[in-house]
Amino acid sequence: MRILIATDSFKGSMSSLNAAHAIERGIKEVIPDAETILIPMADGGEGTVDALATILNGQEIVVEGISDPLGRPIRATYSWVESTSTAIIETASASGLPLLKENELDPHQTSTHGTGQLIKHALNKKARKIILGLGGSATVDAGTGCFEALGVQFLDQKGERIKANGASLAHISSIDLTALDSRLKNVEVVVASDVTNPLLGKEGAITVFGPQKGVNDINRFEAGMKNYANRVSEKIGMNLENSDGSGAAGGFGFSLLAYLDPIFMSGFSLLAEHSCLKEQMKSSHLVITGEGKLDAQTLYGKVPSGISRLAKSVNVPAIAFAGTSTILEDREMGIMTVLPIIDEPMELKEAMTRGPELLYRASKRFMTLYQWINKGKGE
């Protein structure tokens, strides 16, 4: 029997890979000779790059002295795939919300400079391809900090350089691309992001995502972002502010579109492509997916929905485990059943701490039933 396990993380409890191992343990205890295929998944946010690095056997590269969102030196990492000279970089590694305490959120000063430093480090390793995940940024600098680290100069009305951050967008008068690292021209850049929001407006980077990064004056930051968008349009001769994904990571997507020639892909699609997910499903008897919380509204667009739809397209049954769930199934989507992993009354904190154990037990229970139901079918 061949079982494909492709889960998202159970946030705050276990990574996607740890969750897959817990499910595998339950399966093997019931059916020791079952063949299990583990493919860690993510929905484009934090965890996408880690999942991709696992799939591609990426080697962790540790870089000292990288700027955190507030410019403080930290140790940051990215993954390197030697066989293809591919760097897999997560914006959150150097420019992410988890690097700041709640009282340190400062959209005026935070910058993506550290992400640019990681990209430069990858260029120094002669990267031929860079996969950049845009999840979890603490910034609204529209990626100017990243490109500052890569040689772009942002100038005020006097022609003097401006330090790139969220507050400086309103004061940019011109942009000098002369010193942009020329090596980028020969590198394929793939951007992993499920955010399709535009740069400006009610669905834009500031209005939708600004508050979680500390923005409390929407109009002021929106005006700064608009000024920057106008300066970029003047420089490159086209308007990209309404492009899908331009609002991702505090407007980082906009600058990537403006200065490079990136390929934008959803995190799920990127992982599915590199793991040959559909082909793996075709030769499987069962697909198991899951994540921390599932309900009728949030199911769509998440990993379990993508996995189950793909499984349905190749006529393979799929089930989902969840820390908590308000739905039992979604046959239209392809999920036979959703199985909550909590099997006794407990507080949320305890459930999250015991997540791997609970998932293992749920997997074992399900496989015992599955084996009994399919007894005599030759599976």
Side-chain angles (χ1 to χ4, degrees), residues 318-341:
I319 67 116
F321 289 111
T324 179
S325 177
T326 60
I327 61 173
L328 299 177
E329 62 180 37
D330 194 321
R331 296 299 178 90
E332 182 179 347
M333 188 171 292
I335 295 181
M336 288 172 37
T337 186
V338 177
L339 302 170
I341 66 174

Side-chain angles (χ1 to χ4, degrees), residues 126-172:
K126 297 181 170 53
R128 295 199 299 267
K129 181 175 183 178
I130 293 174
I131 299 174
L132 179 63
L134 293 188
S137 81
T139 60
V140 290
D141 72 338
T144 53
C146 171
F147 283 96
E148 174 185 61
L150 293 170
V152 177
Q153 294 186 24
F154 301 96
L155 311 172
D156 62 16
Q157 288 185 332
K158 297 180 180 179
E160 297 179 354
R161 291 182 63 176
I162 298 175
K163 181 176 175 58
N165 52 37
S168 70
L169 297 181
H171 306 291
I172 294 173

Side-chain angles (χ1 to χ4, degrees), residues 26-334:
I27 293 171
K28 293 289 190 179
E29 191 152 328
V30 178
I31 310 176
D33 61 348
E35 180 186 0
T36 50
I37 309 300
L38 278 58
I39 301 179
M41 298 297 295
D43 61 6
E46 292 173 65
T48 299
V49 165
D50 285 342
L52 185 60
T54 300
I55 290 168
L56 296 179
N57 295 315
Q59 171 194 359
E60 184 179 69
I61 303 297
V62 179
V63 190
E64 301 283 356
I66 296 297
S67 298
D68 82 348
L70 291 173
R72 301 171 298 197
I74 60 168
R75 171 185 294 183
T77 64
Y78 67 94
S79 289
W80 178 258
V81 183
E82 184 67 34
S83 61
T84 57
S85 297
T86 297
I88 308 171
I89 299 172
E90 180 81 78
T91 301
S93 178
S95 310
L97 279 168
L99 297 173
L100 302 180
K101 299 176 183 177
E102 188 173 352
N103 63 2
E104 291 179 327
L105 295 177
D106 186 351
H108 297 85
Q109 299 300 321
T110 49
S111 163
T112 52
H113 191 91
T115 300
Q117 291 174 309
L118 289 179
I119 292 174
K120 192 161 188 174
H121 192 277
L123 292 174
N124 290 340
K125 283 181 66 68
K126 297 181 170 53
R128 295 199 299 267
K129 181 175 183 178
I130 293 174
I131 299 174
L132 179 63
L134 293 188
S137 81
T139 60
V140 290
D141 72 338
T144 53
C146 171
F147 283 96
E148 174 185 61
L150 293 170
V152 177
Q153 294 186 24
F154 301 96
L155 311 172
D156 62 16
Q157 288 185 332
K158 297 180 180 179
E160 297 179 354
R161 291 182 63 176
I162 298 175
K163 181 176 175 58
N165 52 37
S168 70
L169 297 181
H171 306 291
I172 294 173
S173 181
S174 61
I175 302 166
D176 185 353
L177 299 175
T178 306
L180 176 61
D181 199 312
S182 61
R183 294 173 294 181
L184 288 165
K185 296 177 182 177
N186 301 314
V187 174
E188 179 185 1
V189 178
V190 177
V191 177
S193 175
D194 283 25
V195 173
T196 58
N197 299 63
L199 182 68
L200 304 170
K202 293 181 179 180
E203 300 298 322
I206 298 299
T207 304
V208 176
F209 303 110
Q212 72 186 42
K213 304 169 194 285
V215 173
N216 53 28
D217 188 344
I218 298 293
N219 292 335
R220 179 179 178 183
F221 278 91
E222 181 79 357
M225 195 71 81
K226 178 61 177 176
N227 174 68
Y228 175 62
N230 289 341
R231 302 291 81 78
V232 170
S233 295
E234 292 171 359
K235 183 65 180 180
I236 67 173
M238 66 178 73
N239 188 333
L240 298 170
E241 62 189 51
N242 293 317
S243 299
D244 286 352
S246 58
F252 198 170
F254 175 77
S255 290
L256 289 165
L257 288 166
Y259 305 137
L260 304 177
D261 186 23
I263 299 169
F264 271 65
M265 294 183 68
S266 74
F268 179 85
S269 297
L270 189 65
L271 290 165
E273 176 185 299
H274 283 284
S275 64
C276 301
L277 185 59
K278 190 172 184 177
E279 293 305 311
Q280 295 277 20
M281 285 183 179
K282 287 179 180 179
S283 58
S284 299
H285 298 95
L286 176 68
V287 172
I288 298 178
T289 186
E291 68 173 3
K293 181 179 179 180
L294 290 177
D295 58 48
Q297 189 172 15
T298 60
L299 185 60
Y300 292 86
K302 289 195 170 186
V303 165
S305 67
I307 292 292
S308 57
R309 287 180 187 276
L310 204 56
K312 185 179 181 181
S313 74
V314 295
N315 200 31
V316 176
I319 67 116
F321 289 111
T324 179
S325 177
T326 60
I327 61 173
L328 299 177
E329 62 180 37
D330 194 321
R331 296 299 178 90
E332 182 179 347
M333 188 171 292

